[in-house]
Amino acid sequence: MAGFGGQGVLFIGRLLAHAAMKEGRNVTWIPSYGPAMRGGTANCTVVISDEVIGSPVITSPHSLIVMNNPSLDAFEPRLKTGGLLIVNSSLVTHEAKRNDITVVKAPANKIAFEIGSDRVANMVLLGAYSACTKVVTKENILEALKKVLGEKKKHLFEINKTAFEKGLETGNL
Amino acid sequence: MDEKVLITGNEAIGEAAIQAGCRFFFGYPITPQNKVPEYLSYRLPQVGGCFVQAESEIAAIYMVFGAAGAGARVLTSSSSPGISLKQEGISYIAAAELPCVIVNVMRAGPGLGGILPSQSDYFQATKGGGHGDYHLLALAPSTIQETVDLMMDAFDLADKYRNPVIVLADGCIGQMMEPVEFKERPSEVFPPKDWAVTGAKNRPRNLLKSLYLDPEKLEQHNLKLHKKYLEMAKNEVRVETYLTEDADIIIAAYGTVARISRTAIKILRKKGIKVGMVRPITVFPFPYETFAEISEKVDNILVVEMSLGQMVEDVKLGVCGRANVHFYGRVGGMVPTYDEIVREIEKIRRSQVS
């Protein structure tokens, strides 16, 4: 998953990793880290497997969530043949170039804005991804959300949950 | 605590230290290990411990010297340039035979280098680092669970040998998250630290020092230390062999690169190429014997590192000319991919056929 710093790509990666752990799978989460600035790019890689996980960094992933144009340009060529590309169509204006992959577009910022906050666009996309792949259950994502938000940010649970559910609907279309 | 938690390697280092009974941390910030001090800065006070952000790495390592001398379980962590600054103190601590744990979350060098992962401090960790004839016990984890387990062992080993132990991680291990379990540990009973300087009321005074102006005494001291390193080599070597039984080619790698190699081996085996791996878990003492044995069975060993060839020298010492030792490395913060490792193995194979 990739986007601008601040869009919450590392956050949804963590939720996915938490949910996978809850389901007893092996999982790794690794952020791209380096000298960064506000508005720069951010991405993380989550590997979920029933086997022991070797490399936490993957040359060609099965799925990709992109939240902005630079991420689409950078990572689309690396997606596996037959892979899944989830696109935030509110901000991504470039078109995906490949025809050997499945592209699912979700106007994440628009949906998030309608339910009350632009900032949960990431959750819409995680919802769309979950609906398409069914790699983890909705219950476990929500469980993970509760855990990662913790006591301090408990008040953000509902809006994140709503955004995730809207995303599930988008992905199920 | 038997439930798994999802945490970064850096946080795992901090929590494992606490659970191993460490109550003192002295350090100075540097990327990519900053989550270690961040975590301990709030976690240590919760357990009655002490966290100090020192004014420099040099100050920090001498605070470690002091706490270790008083008999405490103590930790410092840093990344490459910071570990370089600590070398003088580490040499003193080794000379004074004090137990402590040092974590190096390696980043790319030399100099200030960069903040991305590297393994280019292998020589520094295994061959001395500071001045004088001394060694650290050096542990190199490749998963977050192993980081936790080795961190706990590190404190035990430090006490057992009265010697500093270094945990050699890298930026990947520090930054990535994996589920880990903090296992209940059987409490090992160690001899009381009757050498510690805790106030000499009603007992003869203890002296912890590294200065021996009489060369005969200093030679005796060096020989005593040396005996300890031979003991470590006899008792503490840890190594994992992976799919070596039927292998034609062996990869030698440690830490993050070992797990990338594991994926490469999976791909190669699907292609019908039988590759196995020898993964040193202790890089000092080094598993020379494992390489000696393996070199009787295979003709080619590929060493993969995030350096320009440091561990390759130890592998060659173990192999001792009985097999060809090849090398592939990436540096500067570049992490080798499994595709690159697959290509290297295929290249070796082609050159053998022709």
Side-chain angles (χ1 to χ4, degrees):
Chain A
M1 34 213 90
F4 289 126
Q7 279 183 313
V9 289
L10 301 190
F11 182 80
I12 55 171
R14 275 177 74 188
L15 294 186
L16 182 60
H18 257 282
M21 175 177 75
K22 270 227 143 318
E23 299 189 5
R25 322 278 297 273
N26 291 317
V27 61
T28 59
W29 172 97
I30 193 164
S32 66
Y33 79 94
M37 59 176 189
R38 187 178 301 208
T41 55
N43 73 71
C44 69
T45 306
V46 177
V47 181
I48 300 171
S49 176
D50 293 322
E51 294 172 35
V52 172
I53 298 173
S55 178
V57 180
I58 297 300
T59 322
S60 39
H62 285 106
S63 314
L64 190 59
I65 300 175
V66 293
M67 292 195 70
N68 63 3
N69 277 326
S71 301
L72 177 73
D73 300 345
F75 296 114
E76 187 198 351
R78 284 174 49 179
L79 193 57
K80 237 190 187 87
T81 302
L84 172 69
L85 175 66
I86 307 274
V87 178
N88 175 15
S89 56
S90 298
L91 293 182
V92 177
T93 52
H94 298 180
E95 280 299 318
K97 294 182 186 71
R98 288 170 58 178
N99 50 22
D100 60 341
I101 54 173
T102 307
V103 181
V104 173
K105 291 182 182 179
N109 284 77
K110 183 168 165 276
I111 293 171
F113 183 74
E114 280 164 10
I115 60 170
S117 171
D118 229 19
R119 293 176 61 188
V120 291
N122 58 341
M123 291 301 291
V124 175
L125 294 166
L126 181 63
Y129 166 81
S130 299
C132 293
T133 61
K134 305 200 167 49
V135 68
V136 290
T137 65
K138 176 187 164 185
E139 290 68 34
N140 281 326
I141 287 282
L142 294 179
E143 194 67 31
L145 178 63
K146 205 177 282 171
K147 186 136 197 181
V148 173
L149 286 175
E151 272 304 304
K152 252 186 180 157
K153 293 181 179 167
K154 213 164 84 181
H155 58 286
L156 297 173
F157 179 80
E158 277 308 318
I159 190 160
N160 275 283
K161 178 173 176 250
T162 312
F164 178 69
E165 283 166 346
K166 288 276 176 202
L168 282 175
E169 289 167 24
T170 319
N172 274 328
L173 288 180
Chain B
M1 235 209 294
D2 53 5
E3 202 188 312
K4 285 196 171 179
V5 288
L6 185 71
I7 49 175
T8 64
N10 284 335
E11 293 164 309
I13 286 166
E15 183 58 31
I18 298 244
Q19 296 204 20
C22 170
R23 291 295 176 269
F24 294 87
F25 177 93
F26 309 104
Y28 187 81
I30 184 168
T31 308
Q33 61 83 56
N34 279 329
K35 271 243 162 139
V36 180
E38 182 191 334
Y39 184 83
L40 288 170
S41 67
Y42 66 82
R43 193 68 179 92
L44 270 170
Q46 286 173 1
V47 293
C50 167
F51 170 92
V52 177
Q53 180 172 315
E55 69 269 37
S56 71
E57 284 86 350
I58 297 166
I61 195 68
Y62 285 103
M63 291 178 188
V64 170
F65 194 157
R73 284 200 157 182
V74 54
L75 171 72
T76 188
S77 75
S78 192
S79 292
S80 309
I83 294 288
S84 291
L85 281 165
K86 286 177 177 152
Q87 290 303 330
E88 180 199 59
I90 294 171
S91 169
Y92 280 43
I93 293 169
E97 293 192 87
L98 297 179
C100 68
V101 176
I102 301 150
V103 174
N104 183 1
V105 181
M106 290 184 280
R107 59 185 249 180
L112 268 182
I115 63 176
L116 292 173
S118 168
Q119 294 179 321
S120 51
D121 305 344
Y122 179 93
F123 283 153
Q124 188 190 54
T126 60
K127 309 293 177 191
H131 60 281
D133 251 323
Y134 78 93
H135 281 287
L136 309 178
L137 227 152
L139 310 172
S142 88
T143 66
I144 310 303
Q145 182 66 55
E146 192 175 43
T147 306
V148 165
D149 298 342
L150 290 182
M151 273 302 293
M152 295 196 183
D153 291 348
F155 284 96
D156 292 344
L157 289 165
D159 279 350
K160 182 175 172 187
Y161 290 97
R162 282 187 61 182
N163 202 72
V165 174
I166 188 162
V167 174
L168 205 54
D170 62 63
C172 272
I173 301 273
Q175 298 279 327
M176 74 183 277
M177 286 205 270
E178 271 185 310
V180 296
E181 205 180 327
F182 289 90
K183 296 164 198 155
E184 198 75 39
R185 292 170 68 78
S187 69
E188 284 182 63
V189 182
F190 286 96
K193 295 180 173 176
D194 50 14
W195 45 261
V197 281
T198 53
K201 209 172 180 183
N202 303 325
R203 64 158 170 81
R205 74 189 188 113
N206 287 334
L207 180 62
L208 298 169
K209 62 163 190 170
S210 66
L211 180 68
Y212 295 85
L213 288 174
D214 178 345
E216 281 177 19
K217 281 195 178 136
L218 182 53
E219 184 176 52
Q220 284 312 311
H221 184 58
N222 267 278
L223 291 172
K224 182 186 166 207
L225 294 180
H226 187 65
K227 219 174 120 192
K228 205 160 71 171
Y229 307 136
L230 293 177
E231 276 296 299
M232 288 178 195
K234 207 169 80 192
N235 303 325
E236 307 301 342
V237 172
R238 298 188 197 185
V239 59
E240 183 200 6
T241 53
Y242 175 66
L243 301 178
T244 51
E245 292 78 21
D246 64 341
D248 300 322
I249 301 180
I250 292 292
I251 293 176
Y254 70 99
T256 291
V257 178
R259 51 189 305 160
I260 299 169
S261 300
R262 200 179 285 266
T263 303
I265 290 170
K266 218 167 102 183
I267 296 168
L268 286 158
R269 286 206 166 238
K270 270 189 197 147
K271 294 182 174 192
I273 305 172
K274 288 181 188 156
V275 184
M277 175 163 63
V278 176
R279 177 176 75 89
I281 298 169
T282 52
V283 282
F284 185 91
F286 190 80
Y288 293 113
E289 270 179 35
T290 311
F291 283 100
E293 284 161 22
I294 217 92
S295 64
E296 302 281 357
K297 293 195 275 185
V298 302
D299 294 330
N300 293 288
I301 296 173
L302 173 67
V303 184
V304 189
E305 296 179 63
M306 287 190 281
S307 81
L308 286 177
Q310 300 193 13
M311 185 175 80
V312 67
E313 294 191 3
D314 279 328
V315 172
K316 280 181 178 167
L317 281 173
V319 167
C320 211
R322 284 175 292 245
N324 304 314
V325 177
H326 310 262
F327 175 73
Y328 181 71
R330 294 297 302 267
V331 286
M334 299 299 292
V335 179
T337 65
Y338 42 81
D339 293 338
E340 290 166 24
I341 300 171
V342 166
R343 275 201 296 277
E344 283 305 306
I345 292 283
E346 287 175 331
K347 210 159 79 187
I348 292 168
R349 213 155 159 266
R350 272 199 307 277
S351 70
Q352 295 303 302
V353 175
S354 58

